[in-house]
Amino acid sequence: MTERLSSSELTGEDVPGRTRQAAPGRAGQAVGARTGEVPAGGTGKAAAGRTRRTGGTRPGRGHPPDADGTPLPPARLAYDRHTWKEIAHLLSNLPVALFGFTYVVTVLSVGIGLTVTVIGIPLVAAGLLGARHLGRLERARARALLGVRVDEPSRLPLRGAGGFLPRLWMALKDPVGWRTVLYDFIRLPWGVLTFTITLTSLFVLWPVLPFVARGLANADRAMVRGLLSPSDELERRISELEAGRGTVVDTAAADLRRIERDLHDGAQARLVNLAMGLGLAKEKLLEDPDTAAAMVEEAHGEVKLALQELRDLARGIHPAVLTDRGLDAALSSVASRCTVPVRVTVDLKARPAAAIEGIAYFTVSELLQNISKHSGASSASVEVWRTEDRLLIQVWDDGRGGARLEGGTGMRGLADRLGAVDGLFVVDSPEGGPTTVTAELPWRDRAEASGRK
């Protein structure tokens, strides 16, 4: 426990009978602070660690103050982490470029030299496929060290190309593989240059190294974006179509599961119950005709319910009114079943292709169901019209708003379905309403679609 000092000790006066000395801890610090000098008897680490204070800011721990008492900033590295990543990328250019150059020169020179034989051209094709993997590694390195986000090119559809010769030709004309070969070929002199400049600057020109590294790294970024990115608009289009195909397959599988569930839980269960009821009525027909008649009447009601469920199921697959009379009549039928008054306006001089018409119908049907269940609206409207080569749908309601694609109301599924056929799905639903959902679909004439079939 630290001994409490008297007022005479704090002012530095000698007290008879007691030897004055620098007390450790808080007492010694108090003496130095009040008298403005190092206490007598403070030797070694205690004396050296105490400095005269004439005001100003208290120095930070572990950071000695300068001449005027201002604490010095903490020691830190001269470069930030982004600069160190760029330096690491530039230093690794040489070994990576050396490996890529060796691969390209070896594979292509051997393959081209053996083109007079049977194995020459297949060897070149295999080399181009291997170059694709080198490009993937380079994109990963640039992504980790340079922060360059480059989309991965789509895979070559070799499985669907047919026999050996079509696959061989597809690999030989692969633009991604040839651009990667060009990238690896020119990288060796560039790797030597960047390695030399960076290593020299690290020891000699280190004050300007961040600026040098940033300039060289920007050149690397330009090479990666120019030579290792997907080919062109066609590559992007292929990626979109692959994603759309997956959405269509998943949607079709989900629809099949829904139909199977509805049949099993609805019409099938009622038909089983109907068969059992008719069997019991048959047994009681002679013994108790009145009871048998009542059971037949009950079975007749079950038949009606089963027929209604089958009609609803068929309408969910593809309603007959849509096939016979088009969107106007079909959407009016859907609107009549909505719990909110709906005004339907269809301005189409011709009917679109059956597939587009079906997607438009189910989109509006799903949106009207959401209005009935979640919106709290008092009125709604549906408008359908054509603008050039697009079919536009707009569904509006004056409900509470707040609808989102991720809100669990099925809108994400609608957006995916429309995106799979080059459509758009936009939701504008501020809190408090109103909600406006706009959908676009590509227009295809019904006669043109029938001719393709």
Side-chain angles (χ1 to χ4, degrees):
M1 180 180 294
T2 304
E3 182 180 0
R4 181 173 297 178
L5 302 179
S6 64
S7 61
S8 60
E9 290 177 296
L10 290 175
T11 57
E13 299 177 358
D14 291 336
V15 179
R18 178 179 288 182
T19 303
R20 181 177 177 272
Q21 61 182 359
R26 294 183 182 178
Q29 294 175 0
V31 171
R34 295 294 182 94
T35 62
E37 60 185 14
V38 179
T43 60
K45 293 182 179 179
R50 299 184 182 92
T51 58
R52 181 177 179 178
R53 294 184 61 192
T54 59
T57 306
R58 181 180 179 181
R61 295 183 179 180
H63 306 301
D66 57 7
D68 61 356
T70 303
L72 298 176
R76 60 182 179 85
L77 295 175
Y79 311 140
D80 59 12
R81 61 186 183 91
H82 300 290
T83 302
W84 282 114
K85 285 185 176 182
E86 291 174 344
I87 293 173
H89 186 274
L90 296 173
L91 292 177
S92 62
N93 273 348
L94 180 58
V96 173
L98 184 61
F99 177 80
F101 183 83
T102 303
Y103 172 84
V104 167
V105 171
T106 302
V107 173
L108 290 187
S109 60
V110 173
I112 294 174
L114 293 177
T115 52
V116 295
T117 65
V118 179
I119 64 173
I121 295 180
L123 184 60
V124 173
L128 291 174
L129 294 177
R132 270 180 161 258
H133 294 287
L134 293 180
R136 184 180 296 111
L137 295 177
E138 270 296 278
R139 284 187 292 272
R141 186 169 72 102
R143 185 164 49 250
L145 298 179
L146 299 181
V148 179
R149 303 293 177 182
V150 177
D151 294 334
E152 292 292 332
S154 58
R155 294 182 179 182
L156 289 177
L158 296 178
R159 293 183 178 180
F164 174 75
L165 291 179
R167 295 182 182 181
L168 181 64
W169 176 243
M170 182 178 293
L172 288 175
K173 66 178 184 179
D174 177 27
V176 177
W178 283 112
R179 286 207 315 275
T180 307
V181 167
L182 177 61
Y183 177 87
D184 289 329
F185 190 78
I186 66 176
R187 290 291 292 180
L188 181 59
W190 175 253
V192 173
L193 178 64
T194 56
F195 181 84
T196 304
I197 293 176
T198 305
L199 189 62
T200 303
S201 300
L202 193 59
F203 294 100
V204 179
L205 301 175
W206 56 267
V208 297
L209 178 57
F211 305 98
V212 175
R214 179 58 53 85
L216 297 176
N218 285 338
D220 272 333
R221 292 184 177 97
M223 290 185 187
V224 171
R225 291 191 181 101
L227 295 176
L228 297 183
S229 60
S231 296
D232 48 18
E233 186 68 15
L234 180 60
E235 279 286 330
R236 186 189 64 82
R237 182 64 177 155
I238 291 174
S239 300
E240 291 180 354
L241 291 177
E242 289 178 346
R245 181 181 62 184
T247 301
V248 170
V249 172
D250 294 341
T251 301
D255 289 341
L256 289 176
R257 289 194 297 269
R258 177 182 60 83
I259 294 171
E260 180 183 5
R261 183 181 64 251
D262 292 343
L263 284 174
H264 182 272
D265 298 339
Q268 181 180 352
R270 292 195 179 278
L271 291 175
V272 170
N273 190 24
L274 173 64
M276 294 176 61
L278 290 176
L280 293 175
K282 181 181 177 181
E283 293 179 357
K284 292 182 176 293
L285 183 60
L286 298 178
E287 301 176 359
D288 190 356
D290 295 335
T291 303
M295 297 179 68
V296 170
E297 184 67 23
E298 183 180 354
H300 184 257
E302 290 289 334
V303 169
K304 291 182 177 179
L305 292 176
L307 288 175
Q308 182 62 38
E309 289 183 354
L310 289 175
R311 290 193 192 99
D312 294 339
L313 182 59
R315 186 183 298 113
I317 299 173
H318 195 84
V321 65
L322 178 62
T323 304
D324 298 337
R325 302 173 57 187
L327 273 176
D328 194 355
L331 295 183
S332 299
S333 176
V334 172
S336 66
R337 297 193 298 270
C338 185
T339 59
V340 176
V342 181
R343 178 175 55 87
V344 178
T345 303
V346 178
D347 184 12
L348 296 177
K349 296 180 180 179
R351 294 180 62 178
I356 300 299
E357 199 173 52
I359 295 175
Y361 171 82
F362 287 113
T363 300
V364 174
S365 177
E366 184 72 22
L367 292 175
L368 291 181
Q369 288 184 20
N370 288 339
I371 292 174
S372 299
K373 296 177 181 178
H374 309 292
S375 70
S378 59
S379 63
S381 66
V382 176
E383 296 183 18
V384 181
W385 72 98
R386 177 184 178 182
T387 300
E388 295 180 354
D389 60 344
R390 307 291 286 183
L391 176 65
L392 282 85
I393 304 168
Q394 192 169 82
V395 180
W396 173 91
D397 70 80
D398 60 354
R400 64 177 63 96
R404 298 291 183 269
L405 288 181
E406 307 299 339
T409 56
M411 288 195 177
R412 169 55 62 186
L414 290 177
D416 292 340
R417 287 192 182 192
L418 268 67
V421 293
D422 290 340
L424 294 176
F425 189 83
V426 181
V427 179
D428 180 17
S429 182
E431 293 293 339
T435 297
T436 302
V437 179
T438 304
E440 288 189 16
L441 288 167
W443 179 275
R444 290 205 309 270
D445 291 328
R446 179 173 291 265
E448 179 184 352
S450 301
R452 289 181 180 176
K453 293 180 181 178

